[in-house]
């Protein structure tokens, strides 16, 4: 129940953060619960179903979002798909692979990077085919997206997103407040850096804050800092940029899509640099 709630809260909090309206937010929340059901079903069906989980979840959500758009023309299909499958996005894996390549761990870095990219391509292929399959049957009107959710709601929706991430990663009760605190500090760092220069500096500052606070927490509690660090790093969702880039290219806008896809690697390297700086400021305990 807690994990299912985590999926729903991520969809609820992420859709407005990506610029969606209230209609997008409602359906992203509903489809996120459906994605959780597909995750459970794939685990029971076996390893083959689990391997195709990125494709199958995006395909199902793509079909349903396209069907809903027939009745709700202002629905942003790509944003709803992205927010619904956000938990399965390989942003952390891609960032980890890029970091290992830079650190000289060629074999493991290439493996993680390739696994992340394959997962991303499966998601984009599933979402695109779902939209195409449903669009071939259902005529869709070219309607602009709805107005985004007012920024004042972010004070409520961002904590919801953070709570959802912590629940999705099955954070225990005693660690949940600390994981949420690290995510909150990370988000404040993102806002501060973005206000000073741009989003890349925001990601860098947010990552540094996350690593430093997580390492301090690990020293004080004697527990692995990754417990509170991983949800904070996933909050940066570098994979979502790549998802949108590939989806944009699949729609025919090659230049814009390529720029968005390459930006994913910029974010991945920015996160890597932030982790290295954070570990320079506060070293984790060797035994953790």
């Amino acid at each position: 129940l807690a994990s299912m709630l985590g999926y729903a809260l991520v969809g609820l909090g992420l859709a407005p953060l990506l610029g969606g309206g209230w209609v997008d937010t409602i359906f992203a929340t509903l489809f996120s619960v459906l994605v959780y059901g597909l995750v459970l079903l794939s685990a029971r069906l076996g390893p083959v179903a689990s391997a195709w989980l990125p494709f199958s979840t995006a395909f199902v959500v793509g079909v349903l979002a396209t069907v809903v758009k027939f009745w709700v023309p202002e629905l942003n299909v790509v944003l709803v798909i992205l927010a619904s499958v956000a938990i399965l996005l390989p942003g952390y894996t891609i960032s980890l692979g890029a970091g290992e390549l830079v650190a000289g761990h060629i074999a493991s870095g290439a493996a993680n990077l390739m696994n992340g990219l394959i997962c991303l391509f499966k998601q984009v292929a599933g979402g695109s085919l779902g939209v195409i399959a449903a669009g071939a049957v259902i005529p869709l009107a070219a309607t602009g997206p709805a107005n985004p959710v007012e920024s004042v709601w972010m004070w409520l929706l961002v904590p919801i997103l953070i709570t959802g991430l912590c629940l999705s990663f099955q954070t225990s009760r005693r660690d949940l407040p600390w994981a949420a605190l690290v995510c909150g500090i990370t988000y404040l760092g993102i806002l501060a850096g973005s206000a000073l220069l741009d989003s890349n500096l925001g990601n860098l500052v947010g990552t540094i804050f996350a690593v430093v606070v997580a390492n301090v927490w690990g020293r004080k509690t004697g527990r692995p800092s990754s417990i509170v660090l991983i949800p904070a790093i996933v909050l940066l969702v570098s994979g979502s940029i790549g998802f949108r880039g590939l989806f944009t290219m699949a729609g025919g806008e090659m230049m814009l899509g390529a720029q968005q896809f390459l930006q994913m690697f910029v974010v991945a390297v920015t996160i890597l640099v932030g982790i290295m700086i954070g570990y320079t400021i506060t070293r984790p305990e060797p035994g953790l």
Side-chain angles (χ1 to χ4, degrees):
L1 179 62
S3 297
M4 183 183 69
L5 181 62
Y7 274 68
L9 293 181
V10 169
L12 175 61
L14 184 59
L17 204 62
L18 296 174
W22 284 114
V23 172
D24 304 320
T25 302
I26 292 171
F27 282 101
T29 305
L30 295 176
F31 292 155
S32 295
V33 177
L34 175 62
V35 168
Y36 177 73
L38 293 174
V39 170
L40 292 182
L41 179 62
S42 298
R44 294 190 176 186
L45 292 177
V48 175
S50 297
W52 283 97
L53 187 62
F55 177 90
S56 59
T57 51
F59 179 83
V60 172
V61 174
V63 170
L64 293 177
T66 306
V67 172
V68 171
K69 188 172 176 63
F70 176 75
W71 303 102
V72 188
E74 66 270 19
L75 188 77
N76 189 329
V77 174
V78 176
L79 188 147
V80 168
I81 297 173
L82 172 57
S84 301
V85 302
I87 290 296
L88 306 179
L89 284 170
Y92 182 75
T93 305
I94 292 174
S95 300
L96 180 63
E100 289 180 325
L101 287 175
V102 172
H105 305 296
I106 304 300
S108 59
N112 279 318
L113 185 60
M114 187 59 63
N115 288 336
L117 291 176
I118 290 173
C119 177
L120 190 61
F121 277 109
K122 285 181 180 179
Q123 287 180 308
V124 174
S128 299
L129 290 176
V131 172
I132 292 171
V137 179
I138 303 172
L140 298 178
T143 306
N147 294 327
V149 174
E150 296 82 359
S151 57
V152 67
W153 283 98
M154 296 305 165
W155 293 103
L156 173 63
L157 294 170
V158 170
I160 287 176
L161 171 61
I162 290 173
T163 303
L165 284 172
C166 296
L167 291 176
S168 300
F169 283 97
Q170 299 180 350
T171 307
S172 64
R173 290 183 180 179
R174 64 171 174 172
D175 297 327
L176 182 60
W178 298 107
L181 177 62
V182 173
C183 288
I185 293 173
T186 301
Y187 185 72
L188 292 177
I190 294 173
L191 293 180
S194 300
L196 290 175
L197 187 58
D198 58 16
S199 59
N200 290 327
L201 180 61
N203 288 332
L204 176 64
V205 174
T207 306
I208 294 172
F209 282 4
V211 172
V212 170
V213 176
N215 285 340
V216 171
W217 176 85
R219 287 185 176 184
K220 296 293 184 181
T221 61
R223 296 170 59 73
S225 60
S226 58
I227 293 174
V228 298
L229 179 60
I230 290 180
I233 297 298
V234 173
L235 183 63
L236 300 168
V237 282
S238 62
S240 66
I241 302 171
F243 184 97
R244 284 208 257 190
L246 290 175
F247 213 109
T248 302
M249 285 190 282
E253 300 181 49
M254 299 301 295
M255 291 300 295
L256 176 60
Q259 291 176 357
Q260 292 176 331
F261 183 70
L262 292 176
Q263 179 65 21
M264 175 185 66
F265 292 97
V266 175
V267 173
V269 173
T270 303
I271 293 174
L272 165 67
V273 174
I275 291 174
M276 294 173 62
I277 295 175
Y279 280 161
T280 302
I281 297 173
T282 55
R283 300 294 301 176
E285 291 291 335
L288 300 177

